[in-house]
Amino acid sequence: MILVTSATGNVGGHLVRQLHESGFAVRAMTREPSRASVPAGVEIVEGDLEAPESLGEVFDGVTGFFVLGTTGDLSGVLGRASAAGVKRVVLVSTFLARTHPDSAIGRGSLEAERLVRESDLEETVLRPWEYASNVTAWAEEVRVEGVVRPPTAGLPSPAVHPADIASLAAHALTEEGHGGQTYPLTGPEELTPRDKVRALGEALGRELGYEERQDQRELERLSEQAPDETTAGLMVPGVCSLESPGVTDTVERITGSPARSFGQWAAENAHLFR
């Protein structure tokens, strides 16, 4: 039995489906089970990772579980899992733990990684770069105006498809040999925001406009909301202003399949922009 927490999220939803389609018993945990949509045969349970005491029997019979590094009380969750006899945990951290370890996000991610490594569970850490799904924030302006107007150009970025993060998690949860490993994840190519808009247009079958506003006032406003410069570089939806870490081969090396492209993500999610 594999427990997928945050089961209705970008990565968790893919992981639930992939594990189920591969024949594994899956327990999907969410705060609102009545609103969850999962394949028939997947068990749905209610639980709040901010409050480990609410988890009750969630971990009963579970061999491994998936968790995001943003969990509020990760230490308490790990303790509950260990007490229930869970053997494995896959943690989704972030590439910033390596590239920007002194940033607020980097420090928080490294702390989450420390907690899983110091637990008595066999841990695997996934460090994805920018998510392809971040461009979902453009959906309304694409639907209404057919134009994307970011306040900055950003930099080329190898955005990763959430399904590839899920694929790595599935392998780590169901195979031997991934314990103690840290996997950096990217997409297969570096794309600018303009490239992403072009790919979305191709998926939609119509040309989309792209206009860089170079809005310094908006950038300053976002920067004021961020705890540091690194975080500020990620505040514009769909735009990465941090230097690319380069393209990794992790997805293909571990799963045996090439990393999914941004174009594939766009084709699969075109309905969100119509």
Side-chain angles (χ1 to χ4, degrees):
M1 172 68 74
I2 306 296
L3 172 68
V4 179
T5 69
S6 304
T8 58
N10 282 332
V11 180
H14 281 291
L15 180 56
V16 168
R17 289 189 292 274
Q18 290 177 18
L19 289 169
H20 177 70
E21 290 170 1
S22 295
F24 293 97
V26 184
R27 182 173 294 158
M29 193 182 91
T30 176
R31 290 180 178 179
E32 299 181 85
S34 62
R35 299 178 61 182
S37 176
V38 300
V42 171
E43 179 185 356
I44 304 176
V45 295
E46 182 177 358
D48 184 353
L49 295 175
E50 300 282 346
E53 66 278 5
S54 75
L55 300 182
E57 300 177 350
V58 164
F59 285 111
D60 287 0
V62 169
T63 56
F65 79 106
F66 167 87
V67 66
L68 301 177
T70 51
T71 297
D73 186 1
L74 181 57
S75 178
V77 171
L78 291 167
R80 290 272 175 169
S82 177
V86 178
K87 302 301 182 184
R88 292 177 176 170
V89 59
V90 170
L91 173 80
V92 176
S93 178
T94 168
F95 218 127
L96 298 183
R98 187 175 92 181
T99 60
H100 298 76
D102 295 326
S103 67
I105 298 174
R107 290 194 303 272
S109 299
L110 287 170
E111 173 62 13
E113 292 180 13
R114 181 188 67 80
L115 289 173
V116 297
R117 290 198 177 98
E118 292 182 357
S119 73
D120 58 2
L121 279 68
E122 180 182 286
E123 91 289 345
T124 305
V125 173
L126 308 182
R127 288 178 171 176
W129 186 244
E130 177 199 11
Y131 287 33
S133 52
N134 288 354
V135 302
T136 304
W138 298 346
E140 184 174 359
E141 58 185 329
V142 168
R143 285 194 298 265
V144 175
E145 300 181 70
V147 179
V148 176
R149 299 185 178 91
T152 182
L155 295 171
S157 172
V160 60
H161 194 310
D164 281 333
I165 304 172
S167 293
L168 262 291
H171 280 265
L173 286 164
T174 61
E175 298 175 347
E176 299 295 332
H178 300 287
Q181 298 297 312
T182 298
Y183 294 128
L185 307 177
T186 70
E189 57 188 341
E190 296 180 344
L191 300 178
T192 64
R194 184 186 295 274
D195 295 328
K196 295 174 185 175
V197 171
R198 185 180 301 112
L200 281 172
E202 291 173 357
L204 291 168
R206 61 190 176 96
E207 186 174 352
L208 299 179
Y210 176 81
E211 300 174 7
E212 292 170 13
R213 293 184 285 121
Q214 292 301 321
D215 189 337
Q216 191 59 36
R217 181 176 298 180
E218 173 67 6
L219 294 176
E220 289 174 358
R221 184 186 69 82
L222 292 173
S223 182
E224 289 172 358
Q225 298 175 3
D228 52 43
E229 186 176 351
T230 298
T231 308
L234 302 170
M235 292 288 282
V236 180
V239 178
C240 182
S241 294
L242 304 181
E243 184 176 352
S244 168
V247 172
T248 68
D249 67 349
T250 309
V251 173
E252 185 165 12
R253 179 165 52 84
I254 301 302
T255 69
S257 299
R260 296 168 173 88
S261 67
F262 179 85
Q264 182 173 344
W265 182 90
E268 293 167 357
N269 294 276
H271 62 282
L272 300 175
F273 299 85
R274 291 196 170 102

